[in-house]
Amino acid sequence: MKLGGQETLTLKRTKDEADLDVKISLPDLVNLDKTATDKANEELKIDKAEEAVKEVAASEKEGRHLLLHFAKGQSQLKLSLDPGRYTSEN
C-alpha cells in the first residue's frame, strides 16, 4: 500500500458470529490518526468506537502495532493512516 496523504481504510471480515481481535504491525513511516479513526467508526455506528482501534507502543518484545477489536455482529472497522515518520511525541 502506498499513501500519498491521509487515507481512511476499511477492514472487513466475512464471519461476524464472535468477537475478534486483530493485531497489525505499524511501520515507522505511518501514523494512526486516532481522532479521524474514532470519527469514521462512530459514523459506522460502532459501539465504543474509541476502543475499537488502539495503537500500542513498541516494547522490547514487539514493534509498534495496532489492536483492532471487532465485536460480535460487526463486519467492518475503519482506520485512518497518515504518512510521515513516527516520533515518540505523536
Side-chain angles (χ1 to χ4, degrees):
M1 172 176 54
K2 183 176 180 179
L3 299 177
Q6 184 170 337
E7 298 283 342
T8 299
L9 308 172
T10 302
L11 301 172
K12 297 182 179 183
R13 66 178 184 160
T14 55
K15 295 182 180 180
D16 62 359
E17 296 86 22
D19 285 5
L20 175 68
D21 291 318
V22 177
K23 182 167 70 172
I24 299 175
S25 295
L26 193 59
D28 287 344
L29 297 175
V30 178
N31 295 312
L32 174 70
D33 183 330
K34 182 69 171 144
T35 302
T37 296
D38 290 349
K39 183 177 179 181
N41 285 319
E42 286 170 3
E43 290 172 359
L44 289 176
K45 309 240 185 285
I46 293 175
D47 291 335
K48 300 181 182 177
E50 67 281 353
E51 296 177 16
V53 179
K54 295 181 183 178
E55 183 173 346
V56 179
S59 67
E60 290 183 18
K61 292 183 177 184
E62 296 183 292
R64 197 170 66 118
H65 59 277
L66 300 176
L67 287 178
L68 311 178
H69 177 75
F70 288 90
K72 181 179 179 179
Q74 178 186 341
S75 62
Q76 62 182 350
L77 275 176
K78 291 190 175 191
L79 56 105
S80 186
L81 299 176
D82 188 22
R85 183 157 296 278
Y86 170 79
T87 62
S88 59
E89 290 127 25
N90 284 356

